[in-house]
């Protein structure tokens, strides 16, 4: 029996030796089962799994050394504990001084062993976990395991030989796909790709031990992946050019996918040792990059939003969600259909209500085909009768939860909530899919305001990952917890936010859009503004995005708010409620230019519904005339000003939202912006970006722009932003302390 490595606690590293006797000969025969797990997670509901920490790596190195040096040991099986092989490197270690044995020589020594080493994979083999398995001579996996090299999603590349061994094992095209996307594959796909040697439904370790016995003494020459050559390909150059174009198009400005392509190219063109050198060099450029920091921050931020809290003290860990088996959707327009699909995909039974016969008929056709497409994409099946359709609200009498998705009109929504309050069971949760209306007001229309919350979906609702769960003043903790849990069940990232106009996302977006309009007044063009934002990493600039979502949407809201009055002339045309206002969007709508759907907006399209935006001379003339009419002298505006004006004002509103407690922490805002508004993930989200840029700089630029535009009050740095700077600009993970101190003084 081997002893645990000194200085390793039992819960950190477990290793045991199993003596197995060959049945026929009865000769002593031993395998080493190295448990490469577990770091317990301090999360009651999570399973235990391991990420390589220094002590784990040390443990593996020592154990493998002893196993290989022990004549009694004939083969080695490496497995995890508690059903998980290995989730890869401990990401938290990256920010600190790294210690302990490095992974590359550790895996190299395993591969060089003269005894068969078998990886027994259960749960996950990700990142460095899969790289370890690739260093083994055989890989046996449970059918439910997931495998992958997700380093690219953390701004890195698989630098423990992953970029060199995987292409040698499964070929360049398949390896490029896995390494540049970071996607996880099922055991079945991994077997088909050739990553695995065998997949089992039974006890993986038992199967691996049996297998390890069966190959004892066999030659390992053909089993060391580093000695393989990549399968030859006829046109390597165009393959890599195509791969480069693809990754550049998928995440503009992201450096890790580009480095991944370069590393795989090295595998395809260089001997293994030189390829490893190239892998190391490329990793060194990524490792300390801002993008790696941003992506690793975002990895934890995504998880942090699940630990929600509200200013009234409701929390994720003390609030019990209610079971939801049957749900209803009221209103089957675009949003309602998407929500119906998302609920059905989550396995709920759904009552879909639409009072307009024509719309109902169309929905009855559209929803099943959306479900079918989703099932094909996700390889799932859907119970066709999980959705029932009705023309009357009475059909929702027995559901556990209703999501209202009627037209964005307060009077109409009020009526629906009054009806629902009468028709539904007294404990039914009533949710509204509004994008900006007052949730408290809607709650006041019902008998149980504590059971009312907002569920703000993003279009298309069955595809977009973000869900803002909006708690009102009287929403009960159970109501919030139920909506959050339902969001998770639908595969969404649910973020709890307070009730205010536009909630967190749209409230910030309003400021961003306004600045973009002001920039046009001052001399910019839609092309210039969009180019700056797209080069920053947004998939679409603000004007292309408006054309896609429809200019009439914002126009309707501005009209309802009494803002869109184009009959005003002179200076009052560009001022509303004492603040600068740009009527440009309203004027375009008056010309019938609603964006892609009308074939004209900020750009022109070849036909209504066309997708390809082309510069429009009409629009440029229109802007010239508009400026001349208002005595505006166009000036040269550079990309930096576009970014600062549009992004810093959005960030400033984010600080205001934090100050007011509408969002509990910066991670919430960042998750909303990355998942709902196309903020480039490799920039971590707007609040993380502010931290990277430096809070002093954000304040300084905002102040300067405010001086230049004194009638734009929200260019003034928010109180929280100023306080953070006064507190020495602490790093983002400490902002909550400053916010908490302030709230506790209120
Ligand atoms: C594993 C999962 C699939 C589990 O999912 P599940 O849903 O069950 O659970 P959660 O996702 O909620 O996670 C629970 C809990 O665990 C935390 N966590 C998850 N993964 C990690 C991790 N890898 N490290 C640390 N912590 C982790 C998570 O945050 C949750 O806790 P919380 O408190 O937040 O609730 C799923 O979690 C998952 O997919 N995880 C990520 C897996 C992954 O991405 N793995 C890859 C890691 S990177 C890696 O392995 C790199 C390797 O290639 C090794 C490379 C060699 C490195 C060498 C360094 C050389 C540096 C050279 C440069 C030097 C230059 C110079 O200085 O000069």
């Amino acid at each position: 029996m081997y002893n645990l490595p000194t200085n390793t606690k039992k819960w950190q590293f477990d290793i045991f030796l199993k003596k197995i006797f060959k049945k026929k000969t009865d000769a002593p025969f031993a395998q080493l089962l190295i448990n490469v797990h577990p770091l317990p997670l301090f999360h009651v509901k999570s399973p235990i799994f391991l990420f390589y920490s220094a002590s784990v790596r040390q443990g593996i190195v020592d154990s493998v050394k002893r196993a290989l040096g022990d004549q009694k040991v004939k083969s080695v099986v490496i497995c995890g504990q508690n059903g998980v092989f290995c989730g890869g490197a401990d990401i938290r270690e990256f920010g600190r001084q790294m210690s302990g044995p490095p992974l590359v020589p550790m895996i190299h020594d395993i591969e060089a062993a003269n005894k068969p080493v078998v990886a027994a994979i259960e749960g996950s083999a990700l990142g460095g976990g899969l790289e370890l398995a690739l260093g083994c001579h055989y890989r046996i996996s449970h059918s439910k395991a997931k495998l992958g090299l997700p380093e690219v999603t953390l701004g890195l590349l698989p630098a423990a030989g992953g970029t060199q061994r995987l292409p040698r094992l499964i070929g360049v095209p398949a390896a490029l796909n896995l390494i540049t996307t970071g996607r996880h594959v099922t055991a079945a796909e991994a077997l088909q790709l050739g990553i695995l040697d065998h997949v089992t439904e039974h006890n993986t370790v038992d199967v691996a031990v049996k297998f390890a016995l069966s190959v004892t003494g066999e030659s390992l020459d053909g089993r060391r992946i580093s000695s393989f050559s990549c399968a030859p390909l006829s046109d390597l150059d165009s393959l890599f050019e195509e791969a480069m174009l693809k990754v550049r198009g998928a995440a503009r400005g992201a450096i890790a996918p580009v480095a991944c392509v370069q590393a795989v190219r090295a595998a395809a063109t260089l001997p293994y040792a030189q390829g490893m050198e190239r892998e190391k060099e490329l990793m060194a450029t990524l490792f300390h990059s801002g993008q790696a920091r941003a992506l690793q921050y975002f990895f934890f931020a995504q998880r942090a939003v699940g630990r929600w809290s509200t200013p009234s003290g409701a929390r994720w860990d003390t609030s019990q969600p209610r079971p939801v088996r049957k749900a209803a959707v009221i209103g089957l327009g675009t949003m309602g259909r998407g929500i119906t699909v998302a609920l059905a995909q989550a396995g709920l039974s759904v009552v879909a209500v639409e009072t307009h016969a024509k719309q109902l008929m169309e929905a009855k056709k559209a929803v099943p085909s959306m479900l079918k497409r989703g099932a094909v994409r996700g390889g799932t099946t859907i119970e066709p009768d999980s959705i029932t359709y009705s023309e009357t609200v009475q059909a929702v009498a027995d559901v556990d939860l209703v999501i209202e998705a009627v037209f964005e009109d307060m009077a109409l929504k009020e009526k629906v909530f009054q009806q629902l309050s009468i028709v539904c069971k007294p404990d039914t949760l009533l949710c509204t899919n509004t994008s900006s209306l007052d949730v408290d007001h809607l709650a006041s229309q019902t008998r149980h305001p504590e059971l009312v919350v907002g569920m703000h979906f993003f279009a298309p609702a069955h595809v977009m990952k973000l869900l803002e769960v909006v708690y009102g003043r009287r929403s009960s903790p159970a109501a919030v917890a139920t909506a959050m849990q339902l969001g998770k069940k639908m595969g969404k990232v649910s973020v709890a936010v307070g009730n205010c106009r536009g909630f967190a996302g749209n409230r910030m977006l309003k400021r961003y859009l306004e600045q973009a309009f002001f920039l046009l007044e001052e001399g910019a063009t839609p092309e210039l503004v969009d180019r700056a934002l797209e080069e920053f990493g947004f998939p679409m600039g603000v004007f292309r995005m408006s054309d896609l979502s429809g200019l009439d949407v914002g126009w309707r809201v501005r009209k309802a708010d009494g803002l869109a009055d184009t009959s005003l002339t002179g200076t009052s045309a560009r001022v509303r409620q004492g603040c600068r206002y740009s009527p440009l969007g309203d004027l375009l709508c008056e010309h019938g230019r609603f964006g892609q759907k009308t074939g004209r907006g900020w750009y022109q399209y070849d036909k209504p519904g066309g997708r390809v935006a082309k510069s429009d001379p009409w629009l440029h003339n229109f802007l010239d005339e508009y400026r001349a009419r208002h005595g505006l002298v166009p000036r040269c505006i550079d990309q930096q000003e576009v970014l600062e004006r549009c992004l810093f004002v959005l960030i400033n509103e984010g600080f205001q939202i934090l100050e007011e407690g509408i969002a509990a922490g910066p991670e919430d805002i960042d998750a909303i912006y990355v998942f709902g508004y196309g903020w480039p993930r490799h920039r971590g989200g707007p609040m993380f970006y502010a931290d990277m840029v430096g809070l002093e700089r954000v304040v300084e630029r905002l102040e300067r722009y405010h001086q230049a535009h004194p009638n734009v009050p929200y260019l003034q740095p928010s109180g929280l932003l100023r306080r953070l700077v006064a507190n020495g600009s602490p790093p983002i993970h400490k902002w909550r302390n400053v916010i908490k101190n302030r709230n506790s003084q209120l």
Side-chain angles (χ1 to χ4, degrees):
M1 184 63 128
Y2 292 121
N3 291 325
L4 289 171
T6 52
N7 83 354
T8 304
K9 294 186 193 113
K10 177 79 180 87
W11 56 264
Q12 280 183 317
F13 189 78
D14 207 354
I15 174 170
F16 56 92
L17 180 72
K18 229 182 184 179
K19 292 232 179 223
I20 303 174
F21 295 92
K22 263 193 177 166
K23 276 196 192 132
K24 281 189 192 146
T25 63
D26 238 13
F29 206 93
Q31 281 87 36
L32 182 68
L33 290 175
I34 302 173
N35 278 357
V36 287
H37 268 256
L39 262 192
L41 298 165
F42 307 106
H43 183 304
V44 278
K45 288 183 193 150
S46 280
I48 293 172
F49 42 73
L50 162 110
F51 311 106
Y52 289 125
S53 58
S55 61
V56 171
R57 291 194 303 274
Q58 190 63 59
I60 298 173
V61 167
D62 294 346
S63 314
V64 168
K65 199 167 161 201
R66 276 183 300 207
L68 298 181
D70 187 334
Q71 284 188 349
K72 293 195 294 297
V73 175
K74 302 293 180 206
S75 24
V76 176
V77 172
I78 298 180
C79 65
Q81 198 181 28
N82 297 319
V84 183
F85 184 72
C86 181
D90 181 346
I91 305 162
R92 291 184 204 271
E93 253 193 6
F94 290 164
R96 305 184 207 125
Q97 186 64 36
M98 307 265 287
S99 60
L103 268 182
V104 171
M106 179 187 105
I107 295 173
H108 175 84
D109 290 350
I110 290 172
E111 191 188 57
N114 52 9
K115 303 175 185 181
V117 184
V118 181
I121 300 170
E122 294 169 299
S124 312
L126 298 171
L130 180 55
E131 289 175 298
L132 168 65
L134 292 173
C136 296
H137 306 117
Y138 300 92
R139 285 157 295 281
I140 290 178
S141 167
H142 192 268
S143 57
K144 297 221 166 94
K146 289 267 158 86
L147 298 90
L149 293 175
E151 285 84 345
V152 69
T153 64
L154 300 167
L156 305 173
L157 54 74
T163 67
Q164 301 307 300
R165 284 196 179 90
L166 195 63
R168 285 178 161 80
L169 183 63
I170 66 171
V172 171
L176 263 176
N177 173 275
L178 290 195
I179 293 171
T180 57
T181 61
R183 74 186 178 91
H184 298 181
V185 296
T186 59
E189 187 179 349
L191 182 67
Q192 197 189 16
L193 287 169
I195 298 174
L196 296 173
D197 299 293
H198 181 70
V199 173
T200 177
E201 302 270 341
H202 305 288
N203 183 312
T204 315
V205 176
D206 287 352
V207 173
V209 165
K210 211 164 154 202
F211 178 82
L213 279 174
S214 72
V215 291
T216 294
E218 284 183 9
S219 164
L220 293 170
D221 284 349
R223 303 299 316 173
R224 297 188 180 98
I225 299 172
S226 68
S227 68
F228 300 0
S229 300
C230 287
L233 288 160
S234 57
D235 195 353
L236 217 50
D237 283 341
S238 45
L239 177 79
F240 281 104
E241 264 166 39
E242 222 171 88
M244 211 45 117
L245 278 177
K246 199 166 168 191
V247 298
R248 290 208 161 111
R252 283 165 201 267
I255 55 175
V258 172
C260 286
V261 174
Q262 290 169 330
V264 175
R265 188 180 182 110
T269 53
L270 298 174
Y272 175 77
Q274 283 176 40
M276 285 300 286
E277 278 305 307
R278 184 80 181 118
E279 180 186 271
K280 191 171 156 190
E281 260 168 45
L282 288 163
M283 178 65 153
T285 62
L286 299 177
F287 198 69
H288 297 300
S289 67
Q291 294 195 7
R293 266 183 61 199
L295 286 160
Q296 287 160 33
Y297 155 81
F298 195 72
F299 175 87
F300 292 111
Q302 278 177 71
R303 285 154 175 85
V305 297
R307 296 188 285 271
W308 58 271
S309 63
T310 71
S312 65
R315 288 169 51 93
W316 66 284
D317 51 352
T318 54
S319 308
Q320 194 59 35
R322 303 245 197 100
V324 179
R325 290 182 195 92
K326 189 168 182 181
V329 178
I330 313 286
L332 297 180
T334 312
M335 288 309 282
R337 291 176 200 179
I339 297 168
T340 303
V341 170
L343 289 167
Q345 283 173 337
L348 271 78
S349 156
V350 189
V351 182
V353 178
E354 172 55 66
T355 52
H356 294 102
K358 187 166 169 271
Q359 179 114 309
L360 179 63
M361 217 165 63
E362 284 168 8
K364 277 181 173 175
K365 278 195 210 136
V367 168
S369 61
M370 286 158 78
L371 276 170
K372 216 181 273 169
R373 281 199 300 274
V376 170
R377 253 198 324 266
T380 50
T381 51
I382 292 284
E383 287 294 318
D385 51 2
S386 64
I387 304 174
T388 52
Y389 296 89
S390 172
E391 220 174 324
T392 142
V393 173
Q394 316 305 324
V396 308
D398 65 340
V399 303
D400 306 309
L401 178 143
V402 181
I403 302 176
E404 164 278 307
V406 300
F407 198 67
E408 190 77 343
D409 174 82
M410 186 49 112
L412 177 61
K413 286 186 190 268
E414 272 176 8
K415 219 167 103 195
V416 171
F417 271 76
Q418 289 158 6
Q419 264 183 313
L420 289 172
S421 188
I422 296 165
V423 170
C424 293
K425 298 185 289 182
D427 60 350
T428 299
L429 215 73
L430 303 182
C431 310
T432 171
N433 171 50
T434 173
S435 57
S436 67
L437 298 178
D438 185 353
V439 172
D440 285 327
H441 180 76
L442 287 174
S444 74
Q445 306 299 306
T446 68
R447 286 186 289 195
H448 294 287
E450 73 281 7
L451 295 181
V452 175
V453 290
M455 283 181 95
H456 178 205
F457 288 83
F458 289 71
H462 59 303
V463 175
M464 289 290 283
K465 286 287 274 181
L466 178 64
L467 176 70
E468 275 184 321
V469 171
V470 187
Y471 51 85
R473 256 198 317 272
R474 298 171 67 182
S475 307
S476 69
V480 183
T482 307
M484 290 292 285
Q485 196 189 53
L486 180 60
K488 196 167 174 195
K489 211 167 169 192
M490 288 187 279
K492 310 279 177 212
V493 174
S494 314
V495 185
V497 293
N499 179 34
C500 65
R501 193 70 206 259
F503 317 129
N506 282 347
R507 179 170 154 182
M508 291 164 70
L509 188 76
K510 185 166 188 267
R511 302 300 181 219
Y512 167 81
L513 286 168
E514 282 166 348
Q515 285 302 315
F517 287 5
F518 295 161
L519 286 164
L520 294 190
E521 290 186 339
E522 291 164 37
T525 58
E527 291 82 348
L528 177 114
V529 174
D530 282 354
R531 198 175 319 118
L533 294 166
E534 286 163 16
E535 279 176 18
F536 178 79
F538 281 98
M540 239 180 249
V542 56
F543 292 108
R544 287 218 295 139
M545 188 198 72
S546 297
D547 272 1
L548 174 69
S549 50
L551 271 62
D552 52 326
V553 181
W555 191 35
R556 212 176 304 121
V557 175
R558 293 192 295 275
K559 277 201 282 195
D561 287 351
L563 292 170
D565 183 354
T566 49
S567 66
L568 296 168
T569 53
T571 28
S572 52
R574 295 178 44 248
V575 175
R576 297 286 187 282
Q577 295 152 8
C579 302
R580 180 172 174 185
Y581 178 81
S582 170
L584 278 172
D586 307 331
L587 289 166
L588 249 60
C589 287
E590 285 190 355
H591 280 89
R593 298 177 72 106
F594 291 170
Q596 285 189 5
K597 61 177 128 181
T598 57
R600 296 281 184 276
W602 298 106
Y603 294 93
Q604 59 174 325
Y605 301 84
D606 57 354
K607 57 174 193 274
R611 294 282 169 117
V612 182
K614 277 194 291 193
S615 184
D616 190 347
W618 180 92
L619 196 270
H620 293 145
N621 279 339
F622 164 80
L623 287 176
D624 287 344
E625 279 169 24
Y626 173 88
R627 291 185 199 115
R629 196 164 57 247
H630 292 281
L632 297 163
V633 181
R635 61 187 174 84
C636 226
I637 292 172
D638 62 15
Q639 293 210 348
Q640 185 181 337
E641 179 172 350
V642 172
L643 290 184
E644 289 181 346
R645 292 270 296 276
C646 292
L647 302 186
F648 287 5
V649 77
L650 174 145
I651 286 166
N652 198 33
E653 195 65 29
F655 279 110
Q656 193 57 39
I657 282 169
L658 288 176
E659 171 103 296
E660 292 170 20
I662 296 293
E667 299 87 352
D668 297 307
I669 293 179
D670 287 336
I672 287 173
Y673 261 79
V674 170
F675 287 117
Y677 295 86
W679 185 283
R681 187 187 287 233
H682 61 266
R683 294 196 188 262
M687 307 320 282
F688 181 84
Y689 180 66
D691 187 32
M692 287 282 269
V693 169
L695 301 185
E696 290 96 333
R697 180 167 170 79
V698 177
V699 167
E700 183 262 312
R701 300 309 291 166
L702 282 169
E703 277 174 341
R704 184 189 270 236
Y705 288 123
H706 184 237
Q707 262 172 19
H709 308 279
N711 57 354
V712 185
Y714 37 85
L715 279 171
Q716 274 187 66
S718 92
L720 173 62
L721 178 51
R722 285 190 192 284
R723 251 191 346 278
L724 284 164
V725 171
N727 277 270
S729 299
I732 194 163
H733 64 273
K734 298 212 168 133
W735 291 2
R736 280 182 196 247
N737 298 339
V738 177
I739 301 168
K740 221 186 301 161
N741 290 344
R742 149 88 178 171
N743 288 344
S744 64
Q745 283 164 21
L746 289 177

